[in-house]
PDB file of all heavy atoms in Angstrom:
ATOM      1  N   ALA A  12       1.748  -4.627  -2.681  1.00  0.00           N
ATOM      2  CA  ALA A  12       0.918  -5.825  -2.512  1.00  0.00           C
ATOM      3  C   ALA A  12       1.625  -7.012  -2.066  1.00  0.00           C
ATOM      4  O   ALA A  12       0.999  -8.007  -1.543  1.00  0.00           O
ATOM      5  CB  ALA A  12       0.175  -6.065  -3.842  1.00  0.00           C
ATOM      6  N   ALA A  13       2.960  -7.051  -2.189  1.00  0.00           N
ATOM      7  CA  ALA A  13       3.756  -8.218  -1.774  1.00  0.00           C
ATOM      8  C   ALA A  13       3.996  -8.282  -0.229  1.00  0.00           C
ATOM      9  O   ALA A  13       4.422  -9.286   0.236  1.00  0.00           O
ATOM     10  CB  ALA A  13       5.092  -8.198  -2.566  1.00  0.00           C
ATOM     11  N   ARG A  14       3.718  -7.201   0.438  1.00  0.00           N
ATOM     12  CA  ARG A  14       3.969  -7.183   1.944  1.00  0.00           C
ATOM     13  C   ARG A  14       2.873  -8.003   2.596  1.00  0.00           C
ATOM     14  O   ARG A  14       1.792  -8.228   2.142  1.00  0.00           O
ATOM     15  CB  ARG A  14       3.985  -5.783   2.428  1.00  0.00           C
ATOM     16  CG  ARG A  14       5.001  -4.890   1.855  1.00  0.00           C
ATOM     17  CD  ARG A  14       4.850  -3.423   2.369  1.00  0.00           C
ATOM     18  NE  ARG A  14       5.031  -3.362   3.795  1.00  0.00           N
ATOM     19  CZ  ARG A  14       4.803  -2.260   4.496  1.00  0.00           C
ATOM     20  NH1 ARG A  14       4.387  -1.128   3.892  1.00  0.00           N
ATOM     21  NH2 ARG A  14       4.980  -2.222   5.805  1.00  0.00           N
ATOM     22  N   PRO A  15       3.207  -8.517   3.805  1.00  0.00           N
ATOM     23  CA  PRO A  15       2.254  -9.233   4.568  1.00  0.00           C
ATOM     24  C   PRO A  15       0.977  -8.430   4.939  1.00  0.00           C
ATOM     25  O   PRO A  15       1.166  -7.169   5.126  1.00  0.00           O
ATOM     26  CB  PRO A  15       3.041  -9.626   5.871  1.00  0.00           C
ATOM     27  CG  PRO A  15       4.472  -9.540   5.451  1.00  0.00           C
ATOM     28  CD  PRO A  15       4.512  -8.428   4.460  1.00  0.00           C
ATOM     29  N   PRO A  16      -0.152  -9.000   5.015  1.00  0.00           N
ATOM     30  CA  PRO A  16      -1.399  -8.281   5.272  1.00  0.00           C
ATOM     31  C   PRO A  16      -1.324  -7.442   6.557  1.00  0.00           C
ATOM     32  O   PRO A  16      -1.819  -6.344   6.622  1.00  0.00           O
ATOM     33  CB  PRO A  16      -2.446  -9.361   5.372  1.00  0.00           C
ATOM     34  CG  PRO A  16      -1.958 -10.440   4.505  1.00  0.00           C
ATOM     35  CD  PRO A  16      -0.448 -10.407   4.694  1.00  0.00           C
ATOM     36  N   ALA A  17      -0.685  -7.982   7.621  1.00  0.00           N
ATOM     37  CA  ALA A  17      -0.591  -7.259   8.874  1.00  0.00           C
ATOM     38  C   ALA A  17       0.171  -5.948   8.687  1.00  0.00           C
ATOM     39  O   ALA A  17      -0.186  -4.940   9.322  1.00  0.00           O
ATOM     40  CB  ALA A  17       0.026  -8.163   9.881  1.00  0.00           C
ATOM     41  N   GLU A  18       1.253  -6.013   7.919  1.00  0.00           N
ATOM     42  CA  GLU A  18       2.060  -4.741   7.680  1.00  0.00           C
ATOM     43  C   GLU A  18       1.239  -3.764   6.851  1.00  0.00           C
ATOM     44  O   GLU A  18       1.332  -2.556   7.087  1.00  0.00           O
ATOM     45  CB  GLU A  18       3.333  -5.107   6.993  1.00  0.00           C
ATOM     46  CG  GLU A  18       4.294  -5.965   7.824  1.00  0.00           C
ATOM     47  CD  GLU A  18       5.623  -6.201   7.104  1.00  0.00           C
ATOM     48  OE1 GLU A  18       5.811  -5.592   6.033  1.00  0.00           O
ATOM     49  OE2 GLU A  18       6.416  -6.985   7.590  1.00  0.00           O
ATOM     50  N   ILE A  19       0.448  -4.247   5.899  1.00  0.00           N
ATOM     51  CA  ILE A  19      -0.347  -3.386   5.121  1.00  0.00           C
ATOM     52  C   ILE A  19      -1.397  -2.662   5.992  1.00  0.00           C
ATOM     53  O   ILE A  19      -1.604  -1.472   5.814  1.00  0.00           O
ATOM     54  CB  ILE A  19      -1.043  -4.122   3.920  1.00  0.00           C
ATOM     55  CG1 ILE A  19       0.016  -4.613   2.952  1.00  0.00           C
ATOM     56  CG2 ILE A  19      -2.067  -3.294   3.249  1.00  0.00           C
ATOM     57  CD1 ILE A  19      -0.533  -5.502   1.907  1.00  0.00           C
ATOM     58  N   VAL A  20      -2.042  -3.458   6.803  1.00  0.00           N
ATOM     59  CA  VAL A  20      -3.052  -2.832   7.820  1.00  0.00           C
ATOM     60  C   VAL A  20      -2.391  -1.750   8.665  1.00  0.00           C
ATOM     61  O   VAL A  20      -2.958  -0.708   8.854  1.00  0.00           O
ATOM     62  CB  VAL A  20      -3.728  -3.946   8.636  1.00  0.00           C
ATOM     63  CG1 VAL A  20      -4.582  -3.334   9.691  1.00  0.00           C
ATOM     64  CG2 VAL A  20      -4.523  -4.866   7.745  1.00  0.00           C
ATOM     65  N   ALA A  21      -1.184  -2.080   9.163  1.00  0.00           N
ATOM     66  CA  ALA A  21      -0.510  -1.149   9.987  1.00  0.00           C
ATOM     67  C   ALA A  21      -0.163   0.142   9.233  1.00  0.00           C
ATOM     68  O   ALA A  21      -0.300   1.292   9.774  1.00  0.00           O
ATOM     69  CB  ALA A  21       0.750  -1.720  10.570  1.00  0.00           C
ATOM     70  N   GLN A  22       0.221  -0.021   7.937  1.00  0.00           N
ATOM     71  CA  GLN A  22       0.504   1.134   7.155  1.00  0.00           C
ATOM     72  C   GLN A  22      -0.708   2.034   6.898  1.00  0.00           C
ATOM     73  O   GLN A  22      -0.642   3.258   7.017  1.00  0.00           O
ATOM     74  CB  GLN A  22       1.126   0.735   5.787  1.00  0.00           C
ATOM     75  CG  GLN A  22       1.405   1.820   4.867  1.00  0.00           C
ATOM     76  CD  GLN A  22       1.921   1.382   3.474  1.00  0.00           C
ATOM     77  OE1 GLN A  22       2.124   0.214   3.216  1.00  0.00           O
ATOM     78  NE2 GLN A  22       2.023   2.279   2.512  1.00  0.00           N
ATOM     79  N   VAL A  23      -1.826   1.362   6.633  1.00  0.00           N
ATOM     80  CA  VAL A  23      -3.067   2.139   6.367  1.00  0.00           C
ATOM     81  C   VAL A  23      -3.520   2.820   7.662  1.00  0.00           C
ATOM     82  O   VAL A  23      -4.010   3.953   7.565  1.00  0.00           O
ATOM     83  CB  VAL A  23      -4.169   1.172   5.821  1.00  0.00           C
ATOM     84  CG1 VAL A  23      -5.514   1.964   5.689  1.00  0.00           C
ATOM     85  CG2 VAL A  23      -3.739   0.632   4.450  1.00  0.00           C
ATOM     86  N   LEU A  24      -3.354   2.165   8.780  1.00  0.00           N
ATOM     87  CA  LEU A  24      -3.734   2.808  10.015  1.00  0.00           C
ATOM     88  C   LEU A  24      -2.884   4.075  10.324  1.00  0.00           C
ATOM     89  O   LEU A  24      -3.390   5.014  10.841  1.00  0.00           O
ATOM     90  CB  LEU A  24      -3.545   1.784  11.197  1.00  0.00           C
ATOM     91  CG  LEU A  24      -4.684   0.779  11.389  1.00  0.00           C
ATOM     92  CD1 LEU A  24      -4.319  -0.247  12.429  1.00  0.00           C
ATOM     93  CD2 LEU A  24      -5.976   1.549  11.845  1.00  0.00           C
ATOM     94  N   ALA A  25      -1.646   3.929   9.986  1.00  0.00           N
ATOM     95  CA  ALA A  25      -0.676   5.076  10.252  1.00  0.00           C
ATOM     96  C   ALA A  25      -0.801   6.130   9.264  1.00  0.00           C
ATOM     97  O   ALA A  25      -0.336   7.321   9.518  1.00  0.00           O
ATOM     98  CB  ALA A  25       0.707   4.557  10.356  1.00  0.00           C
ATOM     99  N   SER A  26      -1.363   5.888   8.128  1.00  0.00           N
ATOM    100  CA  SER A  26      -1.405   6.881   7.010  1.00  0.00           C
ATOM    101  C   SER A  26      -2.486   7.946   7.257  1.00  0.00           C
ATOM    102  O   SER A  26      -3.553   7.641   7.751  1.00  0.00           O
ATOM    103  CB  SER A  26      -1.682   6.183   5.698  1.00  0.00           C
ATOM    104  OG  SER A  26      -1.834   7.134   4.673  1.00  0.00           O
ATOM    105  N   PRO A  27      -2.219   9.215   6.904  1.00  0.00           N
ATOM    106  CA  PRO A  27      -3.212  10.283   7.006  1.00  0.00           C
ATOM    107  C   PRO A  27      -4.206  10.239   5.857  1.00  0.00           C
ATOM    108  O   PRO A  27      -5.168  10.984   5.825  1.00  0.00           O
ATOM    109  CB  PRO A  27      -2.380  11.540   7.003  1.00  0.00           C
ATOM    110  CG  PRO A  27      -1.167  11.146   6.172  1.00  0.00           C
ATOM    111  CD  PRO A  27      -0.836   9.759   6.483  1.00  0.00           C
ATOM    112  N   HIS A  28      -3.988   9.319   4.867  1.00  0.00           N
ATOM    113  CA  HIS A  28      -4.836   9.281   3.684  1.00  0.00           C
ATOM    114  C   HIS A  28      -5.813   8.119   3.801  1.00  0.00           C
ATOM    115  O   HIS A  28      -5.503   7.088   4.319  1.00  0.00           O
ATOM    116  CB  HIS A  28      -3.920   9.115   2.411  1.00  0.00           C
ATOM    117  CG  HIS A  28      -2.798  10.102   2.301  1.00  0.00           C
ATOM    118  ND1 HIS A  28      -3.038  11.464   2.163  1.00  0.00           N
ATOM    119  CD2 HIS A  28      -1.465   9.904   2.352  1.00  0.00           C
ATOM    120  CE1 HIS A  28      -1.871  12.113   2.110  1.00  0.00           C
ATOM    121  NE2 HIS A  28      -0.912  11.140   2.224  1.00  0.00           N
ATOM    122  N   THR A  29      -6.952   8.320   3.122  1.00  0.00           N
ATOM    123  CA  THR A  29      -7.990   7.313   3.131  1.00  0.00           C
ATOM    124  C   THR A  29      -7.891   6.392   1.824  1.00  0.00           C
ATOM    125  O   THR A  29      -8.419   5.312   1.862  1.00  0.00           O
ATOM    126  CB  THR A  29      -9.347   7.851   3.200  1.00  0.00           C
ATOM    127  OG1 THR A  29      -9.545   8.793   2.153  1.00  0.00           O
ATOM    128  CG2 THR A  29      -9.526   8.630   4.524  1.00  0.00           C
ATOM    129  N   ARG A  30      -7.251   6.871   0.828  1.00  0.00           N
ATOM    130  CA  ARG A  30      -7.116   6.183  -0.415  1.00  0.00           C
ATOM    131  C   ARG A  30      -5.619   5.959  -0.773  1.00  0.00           C
ATOM    132  O   ARG A  30      -4.879   7.012  -0.796  1.00  0.00           O
ATOM    133  CB  ARG A  30      -7.863   6.868  -1.549  1.00  0.00           C
ATOM    134  CG  ARG A  30      -9.315   6.992  -1.355  1.00  0.00           C
ATOM    135  CD  ARG A  30      -9.943   7.858  -2.508  1.00  0.00           C
ATOM    136  NE  ARG A  30     -11.373   8.013  -2.321  1.00  0.00           N
ATOM    137  CZ  ARG A  30     -11.956   8.874  -1.535  1.00  0.00           C
ATOM    138  NH1 ARG A  30     -11.201   9.745  -0.818  1.00  0.00           N
ATOM    139  NH2 ARG A  30     -13.265   8.937  -1.470  1.00  0.00           N
ATOM    140  N   LEU A  31      -5.182   4.757  -0.971  1.00  0.00           N
ATOM    141  CA  LEU A  31      -3.774   4.504  -1.276  1.00  0.00           C
ATOM    142  C   LEU A  31      -3.630   3.596  -2.454  1.00  0.00           C
ATOM    143  O   LEU A  31      -4.316   2.508  -2.534  1.00  0.00           O
ATOM    144  CB  LEU A  31      -3.046   3.775  -0.057  1.00  0.00           C
ATOM    145  CG  LEU A  31      -3.014   4.632   1.222  1.00  0.00           C
ATOM    146  CD1 LEU A  31      -2.457   3.819   2.377  1.00  0.00           C
ATOM    147  CD2 LEU A  31      -2.183   5.883   1.037  1.00  0.00           C
ATOM    148  N   PRO A  32      -2.863   3.959  -3.496  1.00  0.00           N
ATOM    149  CA  PRO A  32      -2.609   3.093  -4.627  1.00  0.00           C
ATOM    150  C   PRO A  32      -1.866   1.797  -4.216  1.00  0.00           C
ATOM    151  O   PRO A  32      -1.000   1.804  -3.313  1.00  0.00           O
ATOM    152  CB  PRO A  32      -1.741   3.940  -5.525  1.00  0.00           C
ATOM    153  CG  PRO A  32      -1.924   5.334  -5.091  1.00  0.00           C
ATOM    154  CD  PRO A  32      -2.145   5.245  -3.658  1.00  0.00           C
ATOM    155  N   VAL A  33      -2.178   0.752  -4.905  1.00  0.00           N
ATOM    156  CA  VAL A  33      -1.549  -0.576  -4.686  1.00  0.00           C
ATOM    157  C   VAL A  33      -0.769  -0.981  -5.865  1.00  0.00           C
ATOM    158  O   VAL A  33      -1.195  -0.885  -6.983  1.00  0.00           O
ATOM    159  CB  VAL A  33      -2.587  -1.672  -4.354  1.00  0.00           C
ATOM    160  CG1 VAL A  33      -1.898  -3.023  -4.057  1.00  0.00           C
ATOM    161  CG2 VAL A  33      -3.462  -1.273  -3.185  1.00  0.00           C
ATOM    162  N   PHE A  34       0.546  -1.329  -5.656  1.00  0.00           N
ATOM    163  CA  PHE A  34       1.371  -1.730  -6.726  1.00  0.00           C
ATOM    164  C   PHE A  34       2.026  -3.076  -6.409  1.00  0.00           C
ATOM    165  O   PHE A  34       2.104  -3.579  -5.271  1.00  0.00           O
ATOM    166  CB  PHE A  34       2.473  -0.701  -7.000  1.00  0.00           C
ATOM    167  CG  PHE A  34       3.604  -0.645  -5.965  1.00  0.00           C
ATOM    168  CD1 PHE A  34       4.819  -1.352  -6.109  1.00  0.00           C
ATOM    169  CD2 PHE A  34       3.435   0.124  -4.807  1.00  0.00           C
ATOM    170  CE1 PHE A  34       5.754  -1.339  -5.163  1.00  0.00           C
ATOM    171  CE2 PHE A  34       4.420   0.109  -3.788  1.00  0.00           C
ATOM    172  CZ  PHE A  34       5.582  -0.569  -4.030  1.00  0.00           C
ATOM    173  N   ARG A  35       2.546  -3.718  -7.514  1.00  0.00           N
ATOM    174  CA  ARG A  35       3.265  -4.922  -7.298  1.00  0.00           C
ATOM    175  C   ARG A  35       4.598  -4.879  -8.199  1.00  0.00           C
ATOM    176  O   ARG A  35       4.442  -4.485  -9.339  1.00  0.00           O
ATOM    177  CB  ARG A  35       2.451  -6.126  -7.735  1.00  0.00           C
ATOM    178  CG  ARG A  35       3.163  -7.469  -7.419  1.00  0.00           C
ATOM    179  CD  ARG A  35       2.352  -8.678  -8.032  1.00  0.00           C
ATOM    180  NE  ARG A  35       1.012  -8.720  -7.464  1.00  0.00           N
ATOM    181  CZ  ARG A  35       0.644  -9.345  -6.394  1.00  0.00           C
ATOM    182  NH1 ARG A  35       1.538  -9.933  -5.681  1.00  0.00           N
ATOM    183  NH2 ARG A  35      -0.652  -9.343  -5.947  1.00  0.00           N
ATOM    184  N   GLY A  36       5.655  -5.171  -7.617  1.00  0.00           N
ATOM    185  CA  GLY A  36       6.930  -5.148  -8.360  1.00  0.00           C
ATOM    186  C   GLY A  36       7.586  -3.771  -8.345  1.00  0.00           C
ATOM    187  O   GLY A  36       8.544  -3.519  -7.688  1.00  0.00           O
ATOM    188  N   ASN A  37       7.020  -2.836  -9.093  1.00  0.00           N
ATOM    189  CA  ASN A  37       7.492  -1.417  -9.159  1.00  0.00           C
ATOM    190  C   ASN A  37       6.304  -0.496  -9.099  1.00  0.00           C
ATOM    191  O   ASN A  37       5.157  -0.936  -9.396  1.00  0.00           O
ATOM    192  CB  ASN A  37       8.339  -1.238 -10.356  1.00  0.00           C
ATOM    193  CG  ASN A  37       7.614  -1.380 -11.712  1.00  0.00           C
ATOM    194  OD1 ASN A  37       6.840  -0.580 -12.065  1.00  0.00           O
ATOM    195  ND2 ASN A  37       7.865  -2.556 -12.308  1.00  0.00           N
ATOM    196  N   ASP A  38       6.570   0.724  -8.727  1.00  0.00           N
ATOM    197  CA  ASP A  38       5.445   1.677  -8.568  1.00  0.00           C
ATOM    198  C   ASP A  38       4.763   2.120  -9.840  1.00  0.00           C
ATOM    199  O   ASP A  38       3.860   2.909  -9.794  1.00  0.00           O
ATOM    200  CB  ASP A  38       5.891   2.886  -7.777  1.00  0.00           C
ATOM    201  CG  ASP A  38       7.128   3.628  -8.402  1.00  0.00           C
ATOM    202  OD1 ASP A  38       7.378   3.301  -9.595  1.00  0.00           O
ATOM    203  OD2 ASP A  38       7.719   4.488  -7.777  1.00  0.00           O
ATOM    204  N   GLU A  39       5.285   1.578 -11.033  1.00  0.00           N
ATOM    205  CA  GLU A  39       4.543   1.904 -12.265  1.00  0.00           C
ATOM    206  C   GLU A  39       3.458   0.897 -12.471  1.00  0.00           C
ATOM    207  O   GLU A  39       2.525   1.147 -13.215  1.00  0.00           O
ATOM    208  CB  GLU A  39       5.571   1.872 -13.412  1.00  0.00           C
ATOM    209  CG  GLU A  39       6.590   2.976 -13.439  1.00  0.00           C
ATOM    210  CD  GLU A  39       5.956   4.285 -13.940  1.00  0.00           C
ATOM    211  OE1 GLU A  39       4.809   4.278 -14.438  1.00  0.00           O
ATOM    212  OE2 GLU A  39       6.611   5.306 -13.775  1.00  0.00           O
ATOM    213  N   ASN A  40       3.529  -0.252 -11.830  1.00  0.00           N
ATOM    214  CA  ASN A  40       2.536  -1.329 -12.026  1.00  0.00           C
ATOM    215  C   ASN A  40       1.405  -1.156 -10.952  1.00  0.00           C
ATOM    216  O   ASN A  40       1.344  -1.897  -9.992  1.00  0.00           O
ATOM    217  CB  ASN A  40       3.231  -2.681 -11.875  1.00  0.00           C
ATOM    218  CG  ASN A  40       2.295  -3.789 -12.169  1.00  0.00           C
ATOM    219  OD1 ASN A  40       1.339  -3.652 -12.924  1.00  0.00           O
ATOM    220  ND2 ASN A  40       2.572  -4.968 -11.583  1.00  0.00           N
ATOM    221  N   ILE A  41       0.593  -0.182 -11.192  1.00  0.00           N
ATOM    222  CA  ILE A  41      -0.573   0.083 -10.250  1.00  0.00           C
ATOM    223  C   ILE A  41      -1.659  -0.945 -10.485  1.00  0.00           C
ATOM    224  O   ILE A  41      -2.190  -0.994 -11.601  1.00  0.00           O
ATOM    225  CB  ILE A  41      -1.048   1.531 -10.419  1.00  0.00           C
ATOM    226  CG1 ILE A  41       0.079   2.545 -10.330  1.00  0.00           C
ATOM    227  CG2 ILE A  41      -2.160   1.799  -9.386  1.00  0.00           C
ATOM    228  CD1 ILE A  41       0.707   2.627  -8.934  1.00  0.00           C
TER     229      ILE A  41
END
């Protein structure tokens, strides 16, 4: 969640998945 919105959009576009968990700080903090 700390990444810029444009990078997040690019990541979702490139991902083969339609649902992606969002975390902040570490991947345990979903």
Side-chain angles (χ1 to χ4, degrees):
R14 296 176 66 187
E18 293 183 9
I19 293 176
V20 171
Q22 179 184 351
V23 175
L24 279 172
S26 176
H28 309 295
T29 58
R30 298 172 179 85
L31 297 174
V33 181
F34 73 94
R35 187 187 300 273
N37 61 77
D38 56 11
E39 290 286 347
N40 185 29
I41 306 295

